[in-house]
Amino acid sequence: MQKRGFLLILSGPSGAGKNTVLDATRDCCPDLQYSVSATTRPRRPLEQEGVDYFFLTETEFRQRIEAGEFLEWAEFCGHLYGTPLAYVNECLEQGQVVVMDIDIAGARQVQAKMPEAIFVFLLPPSMSELEHRLRTRSTETDEAIRHRLGKALEELRAGIDYDYVIQNDEVAQSAAKLKSIIMAERCRVRRSEYFEQLKDIVGETGRKMTDDESTANRGPVDKG
Ligand code: 5GP
C-alpha cells in the first residue's frame, strides 16, 4: 500500500523570503509538490495564473468556500487567500510531500484538521531588513506596506507555536535547512518504509501464531 505523504507548512511575515527560499528548493527536491493558492489579491506584473496563484474574484472565492473546496482560507491585509483541497489530497494519497506557503491563520486551521502536518516558520534577518525588502520589491503601495509591517509583528508572535524556525539570513542556507527538515521528517519511523515493512512482518507473524494456536487448540479429536 502507498504510504500517505505529509504537509509542510511554511509561514513567516510578508517579506521574510518564503517564495525565494521555496524556489531554491525546487531543483534539489523534484518530488516536492507546491500547493498553488487561490487569492482575490490583484495579480502582480510578473505573476502567472495557475503558477503563482489562481486569481479569483471575491464572488468566485466565496462560492468555493461555500462548496467546501478549500482546506483552509484566511483574509490577509484585505484580500482572501485559500488552499484548494483536491490537489492536496491527491498528492498526499500518492505519498508526496506538499509544501504550503500560508499565513498563521491558515496554519492554525490546518493544524486543527491535519495535526500531523509539519510547521516551519521563516524569520527575516531583522525588522529593519524586512521593511527594506518590502519597500524595495515595490509590489505594494505605502499603505499596504504599513499594513503588512503591522501584521508582521502578529505573525512573529505566532511563530513560537511552530515546530521549526529558520532565520533567513542567506537564501541557500535557509533552503538547505528546509530540505534537512523535510529529509528528517521523511525518516520518522511512522512515515518510513521500515514502519510499513515491520507492520507486514508483525502481521504475518501474528497470522502464523494464530494459525499455530488454532492447530494446537484443535486437540486429539481433530488430529485423529
Ligand atoms: P502575498 O500577497 O505576499 O503573495 O501573500 C500574503 C500572505 O498570504 C503571505 O503571508 C502568504 O503566506 C499568505 N498566503 C498565501 N497563500 C495563502 C493561502 O492559501 N492561505 C493562507 N491562509 N494564506 C496564504
Side-chain angles (χ1 to χ4, degrees):
M1 201 186 80
Q2 178 76 54
K3 193 128 182 55
R4 200 168 150 81
F6 62 92
L7 284 179
L8 184 133
I9 312 300
L10 184 68
S11 302
S14 180
K18 289 168 296 202
N19 281 327
T20 325
V21 170
L22 285 182
D23 280 345
T25 62
R26 285 183 196 249
D27 286 350
C28 335
C29 298
D31 55 337
L32 287 191
Q33 302 302 320
Y34 300 82
S35 158
V36 178
S37 299
T39 185
T40 61
R41 165 170 77 57
R43 193 167 67 81
R44 292 174 187 152
L46 295 176
E47 287 179 333
Q48 291 175 42
E49 166 70 23
V51 176
D52 297 289
Y53 281 108
F54 297 106
F55 295 95
L56 304 179
T57 63
E58 184 157 344
T59 310
E60 287 168 333
F61 197 102
R62 294 207 178 272
Q63 279 167 351
R64 293 188 192 197
I65 297 174
E66 286 302 306
E69 290 181 22
F70 292 125
L71 166 61
E72 60 72 40
W73 67 273
E75 186 180 332
F76 184 92
C77 293
H79 302 295
L80 302 174
Y81 296 80
T83 305
L85 176 62
Y87 178 74
V88 167
N89 273 341
E90 194 184 305
C91 294
L92 292 180
E93 272 157 29
Q94 288 168 8
Q96 290 162 328
V97 179
V98 186
V99 180
M100 292 167 52
D101 160 0
I102 63 173
D103 79 333
I104 54 171
R108 285 190 192 114
Q109 294 169 48
V110 176
Q111 192 171 32
K113 290 182 185 166
M114 297 185 174
E116 69 285 4
I118 306 307
F119 296 84
V120 182
F121 198 80
L122 193 70
L123 282 178
S126 65
M127 280 307 277
S128 56
E129 175 60 22
L130 186 76
E131 181 165 359
H132 175 73
R133 286 182 189 177
L134 281 176
R135 292 199 184 282
T136 50
R137 76 181 188 187
S138 315
T139 50
E140 266 81 34
T141 60
D142 263 7
E143 196 200 334
I145 291 171
R146 273 198 301 279
H147 200 167
R148 282 178 181 240
L149 282 170
K151 184 90 182 162
L153 291 175
E154 189 192 321
E155 298 236 321
L156 287 173
R157 275 196 291 270
I160 198 86
D161 293 327
Y162 278 59
D163 298 313
Y164 297 95
V165 64
I166 299 173
Q167 181 145 8
N168 187 21
D169 292 324
E170 209 270 310
V171 174
Q173 227 176 56
S174 303
K177 286 180 185 170
L178 190 62
K179 282 180 271 171
S180 307
I181 291 169
I182 293 167
M183 235 181 279
E185 288 295 333
R186 275 187 172 138
C187 293
R188 273 193 192 275
V189 167
R190 68 172 189 277
R191 291 202 181 100
S192 68
E193 301 266 307
Y194 157 77
F195 188 64
E196 289 305 313
Q197 286 162 2
L198 193 66
K199 273 199 325 202
D200 285 350
I201 295 165
V202 171
E204 266 167 36
T205 316
R207 270 197 300 281
K208 192 168 177 305
M209 280 172 62
T210 318
D211 288 349
D212 289 350
E213 275 162 21
S214 59
T215 311
N217 290 339
R218 246 191 264 142
V221 176
D222 281 339
K223 273 178 199 160

